[in-house]
Amino acid sequence: MRLAFWIPRSNHLKILAPVARMARSRGHERLALYPLASLRGLKDDIVPGGGMDSLADPFGPAIGIGGEVDAEIHLRDVDWAVAVGLRTAPAIRAYTRASGVKWAALDSSGDNLLYLLEGGKDALAEWDLATTLAEAPRQAAAIASEEDFGRALYELEPIGYPELDQLALPGMTREACRAKWNLPAGGRIVLFAPAARPAQLSRLRRWWWGRRDYPFIARQVRRFCDRHGALLLTKTRAKHRDPAWLVGLSDRYVGETCYYPFDLLELLLASDLVVGGFGSAMAIEAAAIQRPQIWLQAWPPGASEWPAWASVRRKFFFDAGGLWNHAGARTMLCYGPRWREHLRHWADWGAWPILSDFARGQNHHAVTRWAGAVDGKVSERFLDLLEERSGR
């Protein structure tokens, strides 16, 4: 079987690379296609000599694509084109599918469900295979939708989250990750991940929050770390546009560096506690790695969630047993009456959280309920589907 991986953004590598690596082990031909108009340096992330050196390049040749005709030329002899997300490459997909190229969509943290909830039941007609993470969210979305739309959601194939297959890579241990990132071999480390991008707040309210509340919240995290003798490791992304003062507040500050092996997974493995905000899907990775978590919620759900997504997100993240609210993960509200007093009390008196066996089980239940089995075999299940539908 010959596979082409469409890679318009570097962060798609965290999902596509595990699949490509498994395809290589099965003897399938592979190539990577990327748009020539994409961010400079993307090719360096895909080919040997870039981000893949230590694990050997899983993709094979990497080819820049200038447009629909160019894509058709390189996809002509391909069995499947594989991409991340149902909203990816609509023009190229339409053009090449008319010539007989089959396209398969992988999911990223649940975005395929969101796209269907926003875009309607016809979106899947543009794909030959579309996947999602787990059965339970698919059912919840179908129940919450109109009857015809609900039937369309059942066309998604639940396979799990391919990104989490990286946890089975060599070197994915606490000790090895601390050594790789030059972190102390002993002592406590808090991973602080402040993704401050609420979907529904006005620009003025975001500005005011960033000037007044955000610095106060971050200072309390710093105080908690100092009281427990913990190193404060801040993990961020360029799109978060962090204020300059956050760098000075942190002992270590890490931006986007590599998606395979994924730097976030390595830093989570190196850490002892995750303090996340503000409504982050990073809870998926934190629960999969089974770290105690404190999730800072800076806005009411209605202000931080897209309306089409709100009911499903609440059930699997906010409500009891969800990724932000179970025995291994505590939610702290940073809005409403006396929230500053409560957060300051945590910083001054809060105990260092340690996962019990029950809390670890709750971590496991929360992540598998949303993201499917964390068994290192998601890429295998996806390739099984491609082979079955190719008659191989």
Side-chain angles (χ1 to χ4, degrees):
M1 190 164 65
R2 195 160 191 255
L3 306 177
F5 295 89
W6 177 248
I7 311 176
R9 296 167 54 187
S10 290
N11 68 340
H12 288 189
L13 291 169
K14 67 182 183 179
I15 296 166
L16 293 174
V19 175
R21 187 170 189 255
M22 181 56 61
R24 183 184 64 192
S25 73
R26 291 190 177 192
H28 297 308
E29 295 183 62
R30 304 155 328 282
L31 72 154
L33 304 180
Y34 63 96
L36 288 172
S38 64
L39 295 175
R40 184 171 24 173
L42 175 59
K43 184 178 179 181
D44 292 336
D45 291 333
I46 302 170
V47 300
M52 299 299 176
D53 254 3
S54 62
L55 294 166
D57 171 34
F59 288 107
I63 302 169
I65 299 298
E68 289 89 343
V69 175
D70 200 9
E72 184 181 31
I73 291 171
H74 291 288
L75 289 172
R76 190 168 292 160
D77 299 322
V78 164
D79 293 292
W80 285 93
V82 181
V84 175
L86 292 174
R87 61 187 85 220
T88 302
I92 287 178
R93 269 191 291 112
Y95 192 88
T96 57
R97 286 185 77 233
S99 301
V101 178
K102 289 183 288 189
W103 281 77
L106 289 163
D107 201 346
S108 175
S109 74
D111 287 349
N112 283 356
L113 277 182
L114 172 59
Y115 184 68
L116 287 181
L117 288 170
E118 290 178 335
K121 62 183 179 181
D122 297 329
L124 291 182
E126 302 171 3
W127 293 87
D128 300 284
L129 172 64
T131 68
T132 189
L133 304 185
E135 177 66 24
R138 183 180 72 163
Q139 289 186 2
I143 291 170
S145 305
E146 299 175 1
E147 184 178 351
D148 289 344
F149 188 17
R151 283 199 293 268
L153 285 164
Y154 281 105
E155 295 178 25
L156 291 171
E157 294 281 354
I159 62 167
Y161 197 9
E163 177 204 308
L164 299 180
D165 282 358
Q166 291 195 45
L167 293 174
L169 290 173
M172 283 295 191
T173 65
R174 182 177 184 271
E175 295 74 22
C177 290
R178 285 199 174 196
K180 176 177 177 178
W181 286 92
N182 196 28
L183 295 166
R188 293 169 170 173
I189 295 177
V190 171
L191 181 65
F192 183 39
R197 299 177 66 247
Q200 298 296 304
L201 290 188
S202 67
R203 184 173 297 180
L204 177 62
R205 287 186 66 191
R206 292 189 198 192
W207 176 85
W208 178 249
W209 180 87
R211 289 291 297 272
R212 184 171 180 268
D213 294 341
Y214 192 7
F216 174 81
I217 294 168
R219 285 196 302 271
Q220 305 317 304
V221 176
R222 174 77 265 180
R223 288 172 65 184
F224 179 86
C225 290
D226 290 343
R227 188 165 59 84
H228 287 286
L231 182 146
L232 179 56
L233 168 63
T234 298
K235 175 67 177 77
T236 188
R237 297 180 64 185
K239 71 176 185 179
H240 297 162
R241 300 176 184 176
D242 289 333
W245 53 258
L246 186 59
V247 179
L249 196 71
S250 308
D251 295 310
R252 290 284 300 276
Y253 182 89
V254 179
E256 295 172 289
T257 63
C258 185
Y259 289 98
Y260 188 72
F262 190 16
D263 54 17
L264 174 61
L265 292 175
E266 293 180 330
L267 294 172
L268 282 166
L269 281 162
S271 300
D272 302 292
L273 169 66
V274 178
V275 179
F278 298 91
S280 174
M282 191 186 75
I284 298 170
E285 290 91 349
I289 291 173
Q290 296 196 336
R291 293 294 183 264
Q293 304 141 50
I294 296 172
W295 296 103
L296 306 172
Q297 301 296 342
W299 309 276
S304 59
E305 299 293 339
W306 297 110
W309 194 223
S311 65
V312 175
R313 183 87 151 181
R314 175 179 287 280
K315 180 174 182 178
F316 291 91
F317 284 79
F318 284 96
D319 289 351
L323 281 159
W324 296 329
N325 186 14
H326 61 271
R330 174 185 177 188
T331 291
M332 297 179 61
L333 300 184
C334 297
Y335 62 88
R338 302 176 63 185
W339 72 265
R340 287 171 173 263
E341 179 183 337
H342 295 156
L343 190 62
R344 190 181 291 115
H345 184 271
W346 166 76
D348 290 339
W349 301 99
W352 183 265
I354 299 174
L355 284 186
S356 64
D357 289 342
F358 177 74
R360 289 182 187 279
Q362 291 291 296
N363 260 201
H364 178 76
H365 176 73
V367 69
T368 55
R369 185 169 165 247
W370 174 256
V374 184
D375 56 4
K377 298 180 179 180
V378 181
S379 299
E380 293 185 39
R381 288 191 285 274
F382 178 68
L383 290 171
D384 287 344
L385 288 172
L386 296 190
E387 293 170 358
E388 177 185 327
R389 298 189 182 198
S390 296
R392 302 189 179 195

